[in-house]
Coordinates of all heavy atoms in Angstrom, one line a residue:
A1 N 17.8 25.5 172.2 CA 16.4 25.0 172.5 C 16.5 23.5 172.9 O 17.5 22.9 172.6 CB 15.5 25.2 171.3
I2 N 15.5 23.1 173.6 CA 15.4 21.7 174.1 C 15.3 20.8 172.8 O 14.7 21.2 171.8 CB 14.2 21.5 175.0 CG1 14.2 20.1 175.6 CG2 12.8 21.8 174.2 CD1 13.1 19.9 176.6
D3 N 16.0 19.7 172.9 CA 16.0 18.7 171.8 C 14.7 17.9 171.9 O 14.5 17.2 172.8 CB 17.2 17.8 172.0 CG 17.2 16.6 171.0 OD1 16.4 16.6 170.1 OD2 18.0 15.7 171.2
P4 N 13.8 18.1 170.9 CA 12.6 17.3 170.9 C 12.7 15.8 170.8 O 11.8 15.1 171.1 CB 11.8 17.9 169.7 CG 12.8 18.5 168.8 CD 14.0 18.9 169.7
Q5 N 13.9 15.4 170.4 CA 14.2 13.9 170.3 C 14.9 13.4 171.5 O 15.6 12.4 171.5 CB 15.0 13.6 169.1 CG 14.5 14.2 167.8 CD 13.1 13.6 167.5 OE1 12.8 12.4 167.7 NE2 12.2 14.4 166.9
F6 N 14.8 14.1 172.7 CA 15.6 13.8 173.8 C 15.3 12.4 174.3 O 16.2 11.7 174.9 CB 15.4 14.8 175.0 CG 14.0 14.7 175.6 CD1 13.8 13.9 176.7 CD2 12.9 15.4 175.2 CE1 12.6 13.8 177.3 CE2 11.7 15.4 175.8 CZ 11.5 14.5 176.9
H7 N 14.1 11.8 174.1 CA 13.8 10.5 174.5 C 14.8 9.5 173.9 O 15.2 8.5 174.5 CB 12.4 10.0 174.1 CG 11.3 11.0 174.3 ND1 11.1 12.0 173.5 CD2 10.4 11.1 175.3 CE1 10.0 12.7 174.0 NE2 9.6 12.2 175.1
E8 N 15.2 9.8 172.6 CA 16.1 8.9 171.9 C 17.6 9.2 172.1 O 18.4 8.4 172.2 CB 15.8 8.9 170.4 CG 14.6 8.2 170.0 CD 13.7 9.0 169.0 OE1 14.3 9.4 168.0 OE2 12.5 9.1 169.2
N9 N 17.8 10.6 172.3 CA 19.2 11.0 172.3 C 19.8 11.1 173.8 O 21.0 11.3 173.9 CB 19.3 12.4 171.7 CG 19.0 12.4 170.2 OD1 19.1 11.3 169.6 ND2 18.6 13.5 169.7
R10 N 19.0 10.9 174.8 CA 19.5 10.9 176.1 C 19.1 9.7 176.9 O 18.2 9.0 176.5 CB 18.9 12.1 176.9 CG 19.4 13.5 176.4 CD 18.8 14.6 177.1 NE 19.3 15.9 176.7 CZ 19.8 16.8 177.5 NH1 19.9 16.6 178.8 NH2 20.2 18.0 177.1
E11 N 19.8 9.4 178.0 CA 19.5 8.3 178.9 C 18.7 8.8 180.1 O 18.9 9.9 180.6 CB 20.8 7.7 179.4 CG 21.7 7.3 178.4 CD 21.7 5.8 178.1 OE1 21.6 5.0 179.1 OE2 21.6 5.4 176.9
E12 N 17.7 8.0 180.5 CA 17.0 8.3 181.7 C 17.9 7.9 182.9 O 18.2 6.7 183.0 CB 15.7 7.4 181.7 CG 14.6 7.9 182.5 CD 13.3 7.0 182.3 OE1 13.2 6.3 181.3 OE2 12.5 7.0 183.2
V13 N 18.3 8.9 183.7 CA 19.3 8.6 184.7 C 18.8 8.7 186.1 O 19.5 8.3 187.0 CB 20.5 9.5 184.5 CG1 21.3 9.3 183.2 CG2 20.1 11.0 184.6
D14 N 17.6 9.2 186.3 CA 17.1 9.4 187.6 C 15.6 9.7 187.6 O 15.0 9.7 186.5 CB 17.8 10.7 188.3 CG 17.8 10.6 189.8 OD1 17.2 9.7 190.4 OD2 18.4 11.5 190.4
E15 N 15.0 9.8 188.8 CA 13.6 10.1 189.0 C 13.5 11.2 190.0 O 14.4 11.3 190.9 CB 12.8 8.9 189.4 CG 11.4 9.0 189.1 CD 10.6 7.8 189.7 OE1 11.1 6.6 189.5 OE2 9.6 8.0 190.3
H16 N 12.6 12.2 189.8 CA 12.4 13.3 190.7 C 10.9 13.6 190.8 O 10.3 13.8 189.8 CB 13.2 14.5 190.1 CG 13.0 15.8 190.9 ND1 12.3 16.9 190.4 CD2 13.4 16.0 192.2 CE1 12.3 17.8 191.4 NE2 12.9 17.3 192.5
E17 N 10.4 13.5 192.0 CA 9.0 13.9 192.2 C 8.0 13.1 191.3 O 7.1 13.7 190.8 CB 8.7 15.4 192.1 CG 9.6 16.2 193.1 CD 9.1 16.1 194.5 OE1 7.9 15.8 194.7 OE2 9.9 16.3 195.4
G18 N 8.4 11.9 191.0 CA 7.5 11.1 190.2 C 7.7 11.2 188.7 O 7.0 10.6 187.9
H19 N 8.6 12.0 188.2 CA 8.9 12.1 186.8 C 10.4 11.8 186.5 O 11.2 11.7 187.4 CB 8.6 13.5 186.2 CG 9.2 14.6 186.9 ND1 8.5 15.4 187.8 CD2 10.4 15.2 186.9 CE1 9.3 16.4 188.3 NE2 10.5 16.2 187.7
S20 N 10.7 11.5 185.2 CA 12.0 11.1 184.8 C 12.9 12.3 184.7 O 12.5 13.4 184.5 CB 11.9 10.4 183.5 OG 11.1 9.2 183.5
V21 N 14.2 11.9 184.9 CA 15.3 12.9 184.6 C 16.2 12.3 183.6 O 16.6 11.1 183.7 CB 16.1 13.2 185.9 CG1 17.3 14.2 185.6 CG2 15.2 13.8 187.0
W22 N 16.5 13.1 182.5 CA 17.2 12.6 181.4 C 18.6 13.3 181.4 O 18.7 14.5 181.4 CB 16.5 13.0 180.1 CG 15.1 12.4 180.0 CD1 14.0 13.0 180.7 CD2 14.6 11.3 179.4 NE1 12.9 12.2 180.4 CE2 13.2 11.1 179.7 CE3 15.3 10.3 178.6 CZ2 12.5 10.1 179.2 CZ3 14.5 9.2 178.1 CH2 13.1 9.1 178.4
G23 N 19.7 12.5 181.4 CA 21.0 13.0 181.6 C 21.6 13.6 180.3 O 20.9 13.6 179.3
P24 N 22.8 14.0 180.4 CA 23.7 13.9 181.5 C 23.5 14.9 182.6 O 23.0 16.0 182.4 CB 25.1 14.1 180.9 CG 24.9 15.0 179.7 CD 23.5 14.6 179.2
V25 N 23.7 14.4 183.9 CA 23.6 15.2 185.1 C 24.9 15.2 185.8 O 25.5 14.2 186.0 CB 22.5 14.7 186.0 CG1 22.4 15.4 187.3 CG2 21.1 14.8 185.3
D26 N 25.3 16.4 186.1 CA 26.5 16.6 186.9 C 26.3 17.8 187.8 O 26.6 19.0 187.4 CB 27.8 16.8 186.0 CG 29.1 16.9 186.8 OD1 29.1 16.5 188.0 OD2 30.1 17.3 186.2
E27 N 25.6 17.6 189.0 CA 25.2 18.7 189.8 C 26.4 19.4 190.4 O 27.4 18.8 190.7 CB 24.3 18.2 191.0 CG 23.0 17.6 190.4 CD 22.1 17.0 191.5 OE1 22.5 17.1 192.7 OE2 21.1 16.4 191.2
P28 N 26.3 20.8 190.6 CA 25.1 21.6 190.4 C 25.1 22.3 189.0 O 24.1 22.9 188.7 CB 25.3 22.7 191.5 CG 26.8 22.9 191.6 CD 27.4 21.5 191.3
E29 N 26.2 22.1 188.2 CA 26.2 22.8 186.9 C 25.4 22.2 185.8 O 25.0 23.0 184.9 CB 27.7 22.9 186.4 CG 28.6 23.6 187.4 CD 29.3 22.7 188.4 OE1 29.0 21.5 188.4 OE2 30.1 23.2 189.2
E30 N 25.2 20.9 185.8 CA 24.5 20.3 184.7 C 23.4 19.4 185.3 O 23.6 18.5 186.1 CB 25.5 19.4 184.0 CG 25.0 18.9 182.6 CD 26.1 18.2 181.8 OE1 27.0 17.6 182.4 OE2 26.0 18.2 180.6
L31 N 22.1 19.8 184.9 CA 20.9 19.2 185.6 C 20.1 18.3 184.7 O 19.2 17.7 185.2 CB 20.1 20.3 186.2 CG 20.9 21.1 187.3 CD1 20.0 22.3 187.7 CD2 21.3 20.3 188.5
G32 N 20.3 18.4 183.4 CA 19.5 17.5 182.5 C 18.1 18.0 182.2 O 17.8 19.2 182.5
I33 N 17.3 17.1 181.7 CA 15.9 17.4 181.3 C 15.0 16.7 182.4 O 15.1 15.5 182.6 CB 15.5 16.9 179.9 CG1 16.3 17.8 178.9 CG2 14.0 17.0 179.6 CD1 16.1 17.3 177.4
H34 N 14.0 17.5 182.9 CA 13.0 16.9 183.8 C 11.7 16.7 183.1 O 11.2 17.7 182.5 CB 12.8 17.8 185.1 CG 13.9 17.7 186.1 ND1 13.6 17.5 187.4 CD2 15.2 17.7 185.9 CE1 14.8 17.4 188.1 NE2 15.8 17.6 187.2
G35 N 11.1 15.5 183.3 CA 9.8 15.2 182.7 C 9.8 14.5 181.4 O 10.9 14.5 180.7
T36 N 8.7 13.9 181.0 CA 8.6 13.2 179.7 C 7.5 13.8 178.9 O 7.8 14.2 177.7 CB 8.4 11.7 180.0 OG1 9.4 11.2 180.8 CG2 8.2 10.9 178.7
H37 N 6.3 13.8 179.3 CA 5.2 14.4 178.5 C 5.4 16.0 178.5 O 5.3 16.6 177.4 CB 3.8 14.1 179.1 CG 2.7 14.7 178.3 ND1 2.4 14.3 177.0 CD2 1.9 15.8 178.6 CE1 1.5 15.1 176.6 NE2 1.1 16.0 177.5
V38 N 5.7 16.6 179.6 CA 6.1 18.0 179.7 C 7.5 18.0 180.2 O 7.8 17.6 181.3 CB 5.2 18.8 180.7 CG1 5.7 20.2 180.8 CG2 3.7 18.7 180.4
A39 N 8.4 18.3 179.2 CA 9.8 18.2 179.5 C 10.5 19.6 179.6 O 10.2 20.4 178.7 CB 10.5 17.4 178.4
V40 N 11.2 19.9 180.6 CA 11.9 21.2 180.8 C 13.4 20.9 180.8 O 13.9 20.1 181.7 CB 11.5 21.9 182.1 CG1 12.2 23.2 182.2 CG2 10.0 22.1 182.1
D41 N 14.1 21.5 179.9 CA 15.6 21.4 179.9 C 16.1 22.4 181.0 O 16.2 23.6 180.7 CB 16.2 21.7 178.5 CG 17.6 21.3 178.4 OD1 18.4 21.5 179.4 OD2 18.1 20.9 177.3
F42 N 16.5 21.9 182.1 CA 17.0 22.7 183.2 C 18.3 23.4 182.9 O 18.6 24.5 183.5 CB 17.2 21.9 184.5 CG 16.0 21.6 185.3 CD1 14.7 21.7 184.8 CD2 16.1 21.2 186.6 CE1 13.6 21.5 185.5 CE2 15.0 20.9 187.4 CZ 13.7 21.1 186.9
D43 N 19.0 22.9 181.9 CA 20.3 23.6 181.6 C 20.1 24.8 180.6 O 21.0 25.6 180.4 CB 21.2 22.6 181.0 CG 21.6 21.5 182.0 OD1 22.0 22.0 183.1 OD2 21.5 20.3 181.7
I44 N 18.8 24.9 180.1 CA 18.4 26.1 179.3 C 17.6 27.1 180.1 O 17.7 28.3 179.8 CB 17.7 25.6 178.0 CG1 18.6 24.7 177.1 CG2 17.2 26.7 177.2 CD1 17.9 24.1 175.9
C45 N 16.7 26.6 181.0 CA 15.8 27.4 181.7 C 16.6 28.5 182.5 O 17.5 28.3 183.2 CB 15.0 26.6 182.7 SG 14.0 27.5 183.9
I46 N 16.1 29.8 182.3 CA 16.7 31.0 183.0 C 15.7 31.5 184.0 O 15.9 32.6 184.5 CB 17.0 32.1 181.9 CG1 15.7 32.5 181.1 CG2 18.1 31.6 181.0 CD1 15.9 33.7 180.3
A47 N 14.7 30.7 184.4 CA 13.8 31.1 185.5 C 12.9 32.3 185.1 O 12.6 33.1 186.0 CB 14.5 31.3 186.8
D48 N 12.6 32.4 183.8 CA 11.7 33.5 183.4 C 10.4 33.5 184.1 O 9.9 34.5 184.5 CB 11.5 33.4 181.9 CG 10.6 34.4 181.3 OD1 11.0 35.5 181.1 OD2 9.4 34.1 181.2
G49 N 9.8 32.3 184.3 CA 8.6 32.2 185.1 C 7.3 32.3 184.3 O 6.2 32.1 184.8
A50 N 7.3 32.6 183.0 CA 6.1 32.7 182.2 C 5.3 31.3 182.2 O 4.1 31.3 182.3 CB 6.4 33.1 180.8
C51 N 6.0 30.2 182.1 CA 5.3 28.9 182.1 C 4.6 28.7 183.4 O 3.5 28.2 183.5 CB 6.3 27.8 181.9 SG 7.6 27.7 183.1
V52 N 5.2 29.1 184.5 CA 4.6 28.9 185.9 C 3.4 29.7 186.0 O 2.3 29.3 186.5 CB 5.6 29.3 187.0 CG1 5.0 29.1 188.4 CG2 6.9 28.4 186.8
E53 N 3.5 31.0 185.5 CA 2.3 31.9 185.6 C 1.2 31.5 184.7 O 0.0 31.7 185.0 CB 2.8 33.3 185.3 CG 3.6 34.0 186.4 CD 4.3 35.2 185.9 OE1 3.8 35.9 185.0 OE2 5.4 35.5 186.5
D54 N 1.5 31.1 183.5 CA 0.5 30.9 182.4 C -0.1 29.5 182.3 O -1.2 29.4 181.8 CB 1.1 31.3 181.0 CG 1.4 32.8 180.9 OD1 1.1 33.5 181.8 OD2 1.9 33.2 179.9
C55 N 0.5 28.5 182.8 CA -0.1 27.2 182.7 C -1.5 27.1 183.4 O -1.6 27.4 184.6 CB 0.8 26.1 183.3 SG 0.0 24.5 183.3
P56 N -2.5 26.8 182.7 CA -3.9 26.9 183.2 C -4.2 25.8 184.3 O -5.1 25.9 185.0 CB -4.8 26.7 182.0 CG -4.0 26.0 181.0 CD -2.6 26.5 181.2
V57 N -3.3 24.7 184.3 CA -3.6 23.6 185.3 C -2.4 23.4 186.2 O -2.3 22.4 186.9 CB -3.9 22.3 184.5 CG1 -5.3 22.4 183.8 CG2 -2.8 22.0 183.5
D58 N -1.6 24.5 186.4 CA -0.5 24.5 187.4 C 0.4 23.2 187.3 O 0.6 22.6 188.3 CB -1.1 24.7 188.8 CG -1.7 26.0 189.0 OD1 -1.3 27.0 188.3 OD2 -2.6 26.2 189.8
V59 N 0.9 22.9 186.1 CA 1.8 21.8 186.0 C 3.2 22.1 186.7 O 3.8 21.1 187.2 CB 2.0 21.5 184.5 CG1 3.3 20.6 184.3 CG2 0.8 20.8 183.9
F60 N 3.6 23.3 186.7 CA 5.0 23.7 187.1 C 5.1 24.1 188.6 O 4.2 24.8 189.1 CB 5.5 24.8 186.2 CG 5.5 24.4 184.8 CD1 4.5 24.9 184.0 CD2 6.5 23.6 184.2 CE1 4.5 24.6 182.6 CE2 6.5 23.3 182.9 CZ 5.5 23.8 182.1
E61 N 6.1 23.7 189.2 CA 6.5 24.2 190.6 C 7.9 24.6 190.6 O 8.8 23.9 190.0 CB 6.3 23.1 191.6 CG 4.8 22.8 191.8 CD 4.6 21.6 192.8 OE1 5.6 21.2 193.5 OE2 3.4 21.2 193.0
W62 N 8.2 25.7 191.3 CA 9.6 26.2 191.4 C 10.4 25.2 192.2 O 9.9 24.8 193.3 CB 9.7 27.6 192.0 CG 9.2 28.7 191.1 CD1 8.1 29.5 191.3 CD2 9.8 29.1 189.9 NE1 8.0 30.4 190.3 CE2 9.0 30.2 189.4 CE3 10.9 28.7 189.2 CZ2 9.3 30.9 188.3 CZ3 11.2 29.4 188.0 CH2 10.4 30.5 187.6
I63 N 11.6 24.9 191.8 CA 12.6 24.3 192.7 C 13.9 25.1 192.7 O 14.2 25.7 191.7 CB 12.8 22.8 192.3 CG1 13.5 22.6 191.0 CG2 11.6 22.0 192.4 CD1 14.2 21.3 190.8
D64 N 14.6 25.0 193.8 CA 15.9 25.7 193.9 C 17.0 24.9 193.3 O 17.1 23.7 193.6 CB 16.2 26.0 195.4 CG 15.2 27.0 196.0 OD1 14.7 27.9 195.3 OD2 14.9 26.8 197.2
T65 N 17.8 25.6 192.5 CA 19.0 24.9 191.9 C 20.2 25.7 192.1 O 20.8 26.2 191.2 CB 18.7 24.6 190.4 OG1 18.4 25.9 189.8 CG2 17.6 23.7 190.2
P66 N 20.6 25.9 193.4 CA 21.8 26.8 193.7 C 23.0 26.3 192.9 O 23.3 25.1 192.9 CB 22.0 26.6 195.2 CG 21.2 25.4 195.6 CD 20.1 25.3 194.6
G67 N 23.8 27.2 192.3 CA 25.0 26.9 191.7 C 24.9 26.6 190.2 O 25.9 26.3 189.5
H68 N 23.6 26.6 189.7 CA 23.5 26.4 188.2 C 23.8 27.7 187.5 O 23.4 28.8 187.9 CB 22.1 25.9 187.9 CG 22.0 25.5 186.4 ND1 21.7 26.3 185.4 CD2 22.3 24.3 185.9 CE1 21.8 25.6 184.3 NE2 22.2 24.4 184.5
P69 N 24.6 27.6 186.4 CA 25.1 28.8 185.7 C 24.0 29.7 185.1 O 24.1 30.9 185.0 CB 26.0 28.3 184.7 CG 25.9 26.8 184.6 CD 25.3 26.4 185.9
E70 N 22.8 29.1 184.7 CA 21.8 29.9 184.0 C 20.8 30.5 185.0 O 20.3 31.6 184.7 CB 21.0 29.0 183.0 CG 21.8 28.5 181.9 CD 22.3 29.6 181.0 OE1 21.8 30.7 181.0 OE2 23.3 29.3 180.3
S71 N 20.5 29.8 186.1 CA 19.5 30.4 187.1 C 19.5 29.5 188.3 O 19.7 28.2 188.2 CB 18.1 30.5 186.5 OG 17.7 29.2 186.0
E72 N 19.2 30.0 189.4 CA 19.2 29.3 190.7 C 17.8 28.8 191.1 O 17.6 28.4 192.2 CB 19.9 30.1 191.8 CG 21.3 30.4 191.3 CD 22.3 30.6 192.5 OE1 21.9 31.1 193.5 OE2 23.5 30.2 192.3
E73 N 16.9 28.9 190.1 CA 15.5 28.3 190.3 C 15.2 27.7 188.9 O 15.6 28.2 187.9 CB 14.5 29.3 190.6 CG 14.4 29.8 192.0 CD 13.2 30.7 192.2 OE1 13.1 31.7 191.4 OE2 12.4 30.5 193.0
K74 N 14.4 26.6 188.9 CA 13.9 26.0 187.7 C 12.4 25.7 187.8 O 11.9 25.4 188.9 CB 14.6 24.7 187.4 CG 16.2 24.8 187.4 CD 16.7 25.7 186.2 CE 18.2 25.8 186.3 NZ 18.7 26.7 185.2
A75 N 11.7 25.7 186.7 CA 10.3 25.3 186.6 C 10.2 23.8 186.4 O 10.5 23.3 185.4 CB 9.6 26.1 185.5
D76 N 9.8 23.1 187.5 CA 9.8 21.7 187.5 C 8.4 21.2 187.1 O 7.4 21.6 187.7 CB 10.1 21.2 188.9 CG 10.4 19.7 189.0 OD1 11.1 19.2 188.0 OD2 10.1 19.1 190.0
P77 N 8.3 20.3 186.1 CA 7.0 19.8 185.7 C 6.4 18.8 186.6 O 6.1 17.6 186.3 CB 7.3 19.2 184.3 CG 8.7 18.7 184.4 CD 9.4 19.7 185.3
A78 N 6.2 19.3 187.9 CA 5.8 18.4 189.0 C 4.5 17.7 188.7 O 4.3 16.6 189.2 CB 5.8 19.2 190.3
N79 N 3.6 18.3 188.0 CA 2.3 17.8 187.8 C 2.0 17.5 186.3 O 1.0 17.9 185.8 CB 1.2 18.7 188.4 CG 1.5 19.1 189.8 OD1 1.7 18.2 190.7 ND2 1.6 20.4 190.1
E80 N 3.0 16.9 185.6 CA 2.9 16.8 184.2 C 1.7 15.9 183.8 O 1.2 16.1 182.7 CB 4.2 16.2 183.6 CG 4.5 14.8 183.9 CD 5.7 14.2 183.1 OE1 6.2 14.9 182.2 OE2 6.1 13.1 183.4
A81 N 1.2 15.1 184.6 CA 0.0 14.2 184.3 C -1.2 15.1 184.1 O -2.2 14.6 183.4 CB -0.2 13.2 185.3
Q82 N -1.3 16.3 184.7 CA -2.4 17.1 184.5 C -2.5 18.0 183.2 O -3.5 18.6 183.0 CB -2.5 18.1 185.7 CG -2.7 17.4 187.1 CD -2.6 18.4 188.2 OE1 -2.8 19.6 188.0 NE2 -2.4 17.9 189.4
C83 N -1.4 17.9 182.5 CA -1.3 18.7 181.3 C -2.4 18.5 180.3 O -2.8 17.3 180.0 CB 0.1 18.4 180.6 SG 0.3 19.3 179.0
I84 N -3.0 19.6 179.7 CA -4.1 19.5 178.8 C -3.6 19.8 177.4 O -4.4 20.1 176.5 CB -5.3 20.4 179.2 CG1 -4.8 21.8 179.4 CG2 -5.9 19.9 180.5 CD1 -5.9 22.8 179.5
D85 N -2.3 19.8 177.1 CA -1.7 20.0 175.8 C -2.1 21.3 175.1 O -2.3 21.4 173.9 CB -2.1 18.8 174.9 CG -1.5 17.5 175.4 OD1 -0.6 17.5 176.2 OD2 -2.0 16.5 174.9
C86 N -2.2 22.4 175.9 CA -2.6 23.7 175.3 C -1.4 24.4 174.6 O -1.6 25.3 173.8 CB -3.2 24.6 176.4 SG -1.9 25.3 177.5
M87 N -0.2 23.9 174.9 CA 1.0 24.4 174.3 C 1.4 25.9 174.7 O 2.3 26.4 174.1 CB 1.0 24.3 172.8 CG 0.7 22.9 172.3 SD 1.7 21.6 173.1 CE 3.0 21.5 171.9
L88 N 0.7 26.4 175.6 CA 1.0 27.8 176.0 C 2.4 27.9 176.6 O 3.2 28.9 176.2 CB 0.0 28.2 177.1 CG -0.3 29.7 177.3 CD1 -0.7 30.3 176.0 CD2 -1.4 29.9 178.3
C89 N 2.8 27.0 177.4 CA 4.2 27.1 178.0 C 5.3 27.0 176.9 O 6.3 27.8 177.0 CB 4.4 26.0 179.0 SG 4.2 24.3 178.4
V90 N 5.1 26.2 175.9 CA 6.0 26.1 174.8 C 6.1 27.4 174.1 O 7.2 27.9 173.8 CB 5.6 25.0 173.9 CG1 6.5 24.9 172.6 CG2 5.6 23.6 174.6
D91 N 5.0 28.1 173.9 CA 5.0 29.4 173.2 C 5.6 30.5 174.0 O 6.2 31.4 173.4 CB 3.5 29.7 172.8 CG 3.0 28.8 171.8 OD1 3.8 28.1 171.1 OD2 1.7 28.8 171.6
V92 N 5.4 30.5 175.3 CA 5.8 31.7 176.1 C 7.2 31.6 176.6 O 7.8 32.6 177.0 CB 4.9 32.0 177.3 CG1 3.5 32.4 176.8 CG2 4.9 30.8 178.3
C93 N 7.8 30.4 176.7 CA 9.2 30.4 177.2 C 10.2 31.1 176.3 O 10.3 30.7 175.1 CB 9.6 28.9 177.4 SG 11.4 28.8 177.9
P94 N 10.9 32.1 176.8 CA 11.7 32.9 175.9 C 13.0 32.2 175.4 O 13.6 32.6 174.5 CB 12.1 34.1 176.8 CG 12.0 33.6 178.2 CD 10.9 32.6 178.2
V95 N 13.3 31.1 176.0 CA 14.5 30.4 175.6 C 14.2 29.0 175.1 O 15.2 28.1 174.9 CB 15.6 30.3 176.8 CG1 16.2 31.7 177.1 CG2 14.9 29.7 178.0
D96 N 13.0 28.7 174.8 CA 12.6 27.4 174.3 C 13.1 26.2 175.1 O 13.7 25.3 174.5 CB 13.0 27.2 172.8 CG 12.2 28.2 171.9 OD1 11.1 28.5 172.2 OD2 12.8 28.6 170.9
A97 N 12.9 26.3 176.4 CA 13.4 25.2 177.3 C 12.4 24.1 177.4 O 12.7 23.0 178.0 CB 13.7 25.8 178.6
I98 N 11.1 24.2 176.9 CA 10.0 23.3 177.2 C 9.6 22.6 175.9 O 9.4 23.2 174.9 CB 8.8 24.0 177.8 CG1 9.2 24.8 179.0 CG2 7.8 23.0 178.2 CD1 8.1 25.6 179.6
D99 N 9.4 21.2 176.0 CA 8.8 20.4 175.0 C 7.6 19.7 175.5 O 7.7 19.1 176.6 CB 9.9 19.4 174.4 CG 9.3 18.5 173.3 OD1 9.1 19.1 172.2 OD2 9.1 17.3 173.6
V100 N 6.5 19.9 174.9 CA 5.3 19.1 175.2 C 5.0 18.1 174.1 O 4.8 18.6 173.0 CB 4.1 20.0 175.5 CG1 2.8 19.2 175.8 CG2 4.4 20.9 176.7
D101 N 4.9 16.8 174.4 CA 4.7 15.8 173.4 C 3.2 15.6 173.4 O 2.6 14.8 174.1 CB 5.4 14.5 173.8 CG 5.2 13.5 172.8 OD1 4.7 13.8 171.7 OD2 5.6 12.3 173.1
A102 N 2.5 16.4 172.5 CA 1.1 16.3 172.4 C 0.6 15.1 171.5 O -0.6 14.9 171.3 CB 0.5 17.6 171.8
G103 N 1.5 14.3 171.0 CA 1.2 13.1 170.3 C 0.7 13.2 168.9 O 0.4 14.3 168.4
Ligands
SF4_27 FE1 0.4 23.6 181.1 FE2 -0.5 23.9 178.6 FE3 2.1 23.6 179.1 FE4 0.5 21.5 179.5 S1 0.9 22.5 177.5 S2 2.1 22.2 180.8 S3 -1.3 22.5 180.2 S4 0.8 25.3 179.7
F3S28 FE1 12.2 28.5 182.6 FE2 11.1 29.0 180.3 FE3 9.6 28.5 182.3 S1 12.9 30.0 181.2 S2 10.8 29.2 184.1 S3 11.0 27.1 181.4 S4 9.2 30.1 180.8
ZN29 ZN1 11.9 17.4 188.4

């Protein structure tokens, strides 16, 4: 599962579509965590898609990640600022790849 303390345990190494990327990153096999308020551990995500389908405010967008061992698509929290903290994505992800910091 995603480490809920990733802010402390990882370094912010990059930015992607306006959100942070938390390392380590070693493309294409290791992609890190995308997002801060809505965080998706790309190294855990298996592209199940439940988060993309169920988020009521369309926070997630698919991105291609060719060569990643778990899946060649990831749910990117492209619109994390729109999140309404319903926690649905956290509940539906079968591999616990998502952390939402509802404060
Ligand atoms: Fe979308 Fe709710 Fe998840 Fe926020 S907590 S990203 S609103 S499903
Ligand atoms: Fe990935 Fe979980 Fe969403 S596996 S696509 S983060 S439901
Ligand atoms: Zn991203």
